[in-house]
Amino acid sequence: MISFKEISPSEFFYQHRELAGFSNPARALYSAIRELVENSLDACDGYGILPDVLIRITETEPSPSDIKEFEIYIKDNGIGIPPERLPRALGKVFYGSKFTLKQSRGTFGMGGTMSILYAQITTNKPLRVWSNTGNGETHYFELMIDIENNKPMVLKHKKFYPENWRGTAIKINMLGDYVRSSQKIQEYFRRLALFTPYANIVFEDPNGEVFAFKRSVDKVPPPPREVQPHPKGVDLELLRRVVQRSTSKTALSLLTNSFQRVGRKTALEILKMANVDPNKRPSELKMEEMMSLINAMKTYEKFLPPDPSCLSPLGKELIEEGIKKELNPQFVYALSRKPSSYEGYPFIVEAAVASDKTPGIKVLRYANRIPLLYDEKSDVVWKLLNEEIDLKRYKIDEDEPVMILTHVCSTKVPYKTVGKEFVADIPEVEKEMKLALQKVLREYSLFIGKKVKIEAQKKKKNVYELYLPMIAKFAALLGETKTPNVSGLIDSVKVVDIE
Ligand SMILES: Nc1ncnc2c1ncn2[C@@H]1O[C@H](COP(=O)(O)OP(=O)(O)O)[C@@H](O)[C@H]1O
Ligand SMILES: [Mg+2]
């Protein structure tokens, strides 16, 4: 007899935790920290709040093994979680507030939840959370996840008021390995701080070391706005949902109200192409009519590209500011490309280049403002820098002390896995990334050119400084005259600084 069974999403991720970046105790600690930090940042800068995030890891009991139980405590000043949503937001896989067409660090309603699930299965201790949406009430919950049913179980719920703060604080206990993950975790915070110069981020590690990254600008990039889907990305499932949820009375108003970039004129043209009556009630559309509408939308050529207001790039100024704050380089140059799109999703590529202090090319990749640290070789940036772009053309060899930074932001970053570590080589993204990289590399090679010139001038000046006074002295001795003053001559050898 074959037996059939259904499993819940949390059961699935319980069994396949490596898919979400929780493959072993070292990687799990790294992933848990980053998912929690990213939730905190989303809850702040996604709403125009300057983030203050504290994260503290403590060893709960001394143990000789590298795999220990750690308590992770994180506190932010974000928008908080409404108490009626909180148990599900944190105790149910695939439940969250980010399933909208708007850029955020979270994507699947599972990152933070997965950290909580992993904590539970390794220590069997509940999640403790305090949250205040700014209305004077702090709600405290103790929660566990019913993994088989993908449901939160509330063990305790208390309310405290009046409490004058806003934000969320979370405590979990999990097994982790800080010995094998400390380097990656510290690197993660350094890269995160570099790309979030408007945030205060404090990380206290289990050895008592404090990594404090102070904000250097009081400016949050404009938060993204939620938008309607672009017609180029439509499929049958999307159209069916749009029809179900819409209150529009006619096919014409359905198109103009439920999609971006569709005005009355465009809608009429599409309906004509699809041979659908503009006055037809959406609920009465037949399957063939839906299919021909989808076809018409996919082949219509005159749509404006997707609305980029749902994106929140960091921008040239803040990228350069972040790099200066963390690296203090001699040279930095950043750019933000114009919005582009793939399959109806808008995206923006940003890139930067900076001189570094240690030899070697370093590549810092970001997506939706998250630093990506793993699987570098699977990323489109690696492909471009190693196979498509000839770095020698830019006077860069492998020892060049240079840092190259890339950022892709989109409502749907084409990650290849749910672990969010590398970006796929979608042709549109690849093309934009290539143009961005070529431009920053060109700027860098101009800087190298200037640097070489300046060094040559400095050398020349040093030689003059050394020998001219001696020559003057001997010449004077020979000619039995007074030694002439040569400082004017030396000063005439100019060394221009790199601006
Ligand atoms: N620190 C926080 N502040 C406010 N809301 C949060 C915070 N952490 C989690 N949430 C809420 O919980 C939801 C689930 O989080 P998570 O499992 O990480 O999934 P995702 O971030 O992909 O949506 C989020 O969508 C958000 O609504
Ligand atoms: Mg998340």
Side-chain angles (χ1 to χ4, degrees):
M1 265 285 272
I2 314 169
S3 68
F4 289 86
K5 195 180 155 201
E6 179 182 336
I7 63 163
S8 78
S10 23
E11 179 79 24
F12 176 81
F13 281 106
Y14 164 59
Q15 289 176 18
H16 303 282
R17 57 199 85 138
E18 69 287 349
L19 289 180
F22 289 76
S23 43
N24 58 59
R27 185 75 192 262
L29 191 59
Y30 161 83
S31 293
I33 290 172
R34 90 167 242 207
E35 294 291 356
L36 294 171
V37 169
E38 286 161 14
N39 278 350
S40 285
L41 289 174
D42 272 345
C44 297
D45 64 10
Y47 300 86
I49 301 165
L50 286 167
D52 285 319
V53 180
L54 164 75
I55 176 150
R56 180 184 300 136
I57 311 205
T58 36
E59 211 179 297
T60 50
E61 267 167 54
S63 139
S65 156
D66 287 343
I67 301 172
K68 301 178 204 286
E69 181 179 320
F70 292 104
E71 179 189 271
I72 305 180
Y73 173 71
I74 177 161
K75 184 167 192 237
D76 65 54
N77 62 334
I79 53 163
I81 314 174
E84 66 282 8
R85 305 276 174 190
L86 191 146
R88 273 171 296 167
L90 300 176
K92 186 175 169 78
V93 172
F94 295 155
Y95 184 93
S97 56
K98 301 174 198 167
F99 295 105
T100 54
L101 282 179
K102 177 169 116 169
Q103 174 188 328
S104 72
R105 294 174 179 82
T107 38
F108 308 109
M110 61 163 292
T113 313
M114 191 61 207
S115 320
I116 292 157
L117 191 150
Y118 188 85
Q120 173 174 325
I121 58 177
T122 55
T123 67
N124 198 36
K125 291 191 180 149
L127 154 80
R128 283 136 290 154
V129 50
W130 297 255
S131 197
N132 192 322
T133 55
N135 63 357
E137 286 179 5
T138 296
H139 287 262
Y140 169 76
F141 285 89
E142 280 179 24
L143 287 178
M144 286 188 96
I145 305 175
D146 171 354
I147 296 173
E148 269 190 276
N149 296 302
N150 191 28
K151 264 186 159 147
M153 298 185 291
V154 177
L155 309 180
K156 217 180 245 176
H157 176 200
K158 276 198 237 167
K159 199 158 96 175
F160 304 99
Y161 54 87
E163 289 245 310
N164 194 18
W165 68 289
R166 188 200 55 216
T168 302
I170 288 176
K171 241 181 212 176
I172 54 175
N173 287 62
M174 67 179 272
L175 282 191
D177 180 345
Y178 191 64
V179 175
R180 279 178 196 79
S181 61
S182 59
Q183 270 196 350
K184 270 271 193 289
I185 292 174
Q186 290 166 19
E187 182 63 16
Y188 171 78
F189 278 108
R190 275 193 288 273
R191 292 197 188 185
L192 183 73
L194 184 148
F195 216 62
T196 329
Y198 52 85
N200 278 330
I201 302 171
V202 178
F203 168 54
E204 297 179 18
D205 91 350
N207 307 325
E209 233 185 298
V210 179
F211 301 84
F213 303 93
K214 260 187 102 64
R215 86 164 51 94
S216 64
V217 272
D218 284 341
K219 196 176 131 196
V220 184
R225 281 195 314 119
E226 194 179 334
V227 296
Q228 305 276 34
H230 190 275
K232 277 274 177 225
V234 73
D235 58 22
L236 187 58
E237 182 59 29
L238 179 73
L239 186 60
R240 205 182 276 154
R241 285 186 207 175
V242 164
V243 168
Q244 248 169 29
R245 286 178 199 163
S246 161
T247 50
S248 301
K249 299 267 182 312
T250 63
L252 176 66
S253 58
L254 177 85
L255 292 189
T256 57
N257 292 339
S258 305
F259 290 94
Q260 53 165 290
R261 308 305 202 198
V262 185
R264 191 182 151 79
K265 191 168 149 270
T266 310
L268 285 171
E269 284 180 43
I270 295 168
L271 289 159
K272 195 163 167 218
M273 277 168 77
N275 210 7
V276 173
D277 176 5
N279 294 317
K280 184 144 194 176
R281 286 189 82 84
S283 55
E284 285 165 11
L285 285 171
K286 294 198 189 73
M287 181 54 93
E288 309 87 73
E289 288 174 313
M290 301 251 258
M291 291 311 285
S292 52
L293 257 182
I294 292 167
N295 256 333
M297 288 201 249
K298 284 203 175 298
T299 46
Y300 187 77
E301 303 253 308
K302 291 185 284 179
F303 290 123
L304 283 173
D307 178 359
S309 59
C310 52
L311 301 181
S312 178
L314 194 58
K316 176 180 174 63
E317 196 190 321
L318 282 178
I319 299 177
E320 289 182 353
E321 171 59 35
I323 296 174
K324 282 185 196 153
K325 165 170 112 84
E326 292 302 317
L327 302 179
N328 190 23
Q330 194 185 7
F331 173 77
V332 57
Y333 176 84
L335 65 84
S336 202
R337 297 227 7 118
K338 289 212 173 60
S340 185
S341 69
Y342 78 97
E343 293 166 17
Y345 299 105
F347 71 90
I348 291 178
V349 166
E350 303 190 293
V353 69
S355 54
D356 206 352
K357 291 180 182 84
T358 48
I361 305 168
K362 278 135 242 129
V363 182
L364 272 53
R365 296 171 296 129
Y366 295 85
N368 283 1
R369 299 206 205 129
I370 305 176
L372 309 180
L373 265 65
Y374 282 91
D375 304 317
E376 183 180 34
K377 292 195 173 155
S378 312
D379 194 284
V380 60
V381 174
W382 197 90
K383 177 178 162 193
L384 284 168
L385 288 175
N386 288 276
E387 292 165 15
E388 306 272 327
I389 295 174
D390 180 11
L391 290 175
K392 299 243 163 24
R393 266 194 53 199
Y394 300 93
K395 307 185 196 102
I396 297 175
D397 62 27
E398 58 189 30
D399 296 328
E400 183 63 33
V402 63
M403 190 273 285
I404 299 168
L405 178 153
T406 63
H407 180 219
V408 183
C409 62
S410 177
T411 42
K412 187 172 177 239
V413 173
Y415 293 116
K416 286 196 204 160
T417 67
V418 284
K420 298 186 281 191
E421 283 297 351
F422 51 97
V423 177
D425 50 353
I426 304 268
E428 292 89 337
V429 177
E430 185 171 329
K431 187 177 147 217
E432 276 296 304
M433 185 60 85
K434 189 170 178 180
L435 290 169
L437 283 170
Q438 284 171 330
K439 171 71 179 149
V440 297
L441 291 170
R442 214 172 303 131
E443 290 295 326
Y444 186 74
S445 71
L446 288 177
F447 157 73
I448 299 184
K450 270 190 205 155
K451 200 167 75 169
V452 169
K453 222 170 169 178
I454 288 167
E455 262 152 30
Q457 283 170 342
K458 273 194 184 145
K459 237 188 205 155
K460 203 161 128 193
K461 190 164 181 169
N462 284 345
V463 171
Y464 285 165
E465 266 167 357
L466 192 65
Y467 294 111
L468 265 184
M470 281 198 240
I471 294 170
K473 207 169 146 193
F474 288 125
L477 260 177
L478 282 175
E480 292 176 359
T481 57
K482 232 175 92 199
T483 311
N485 186 353
V486 292
S487 61
L489 257 177
I490 295 171
D491 285 346
S492 70
V493 182
K494 291 218 160 39
V495 178
V496 259
D497 240 349
I498 298 169
E499 81 288 44

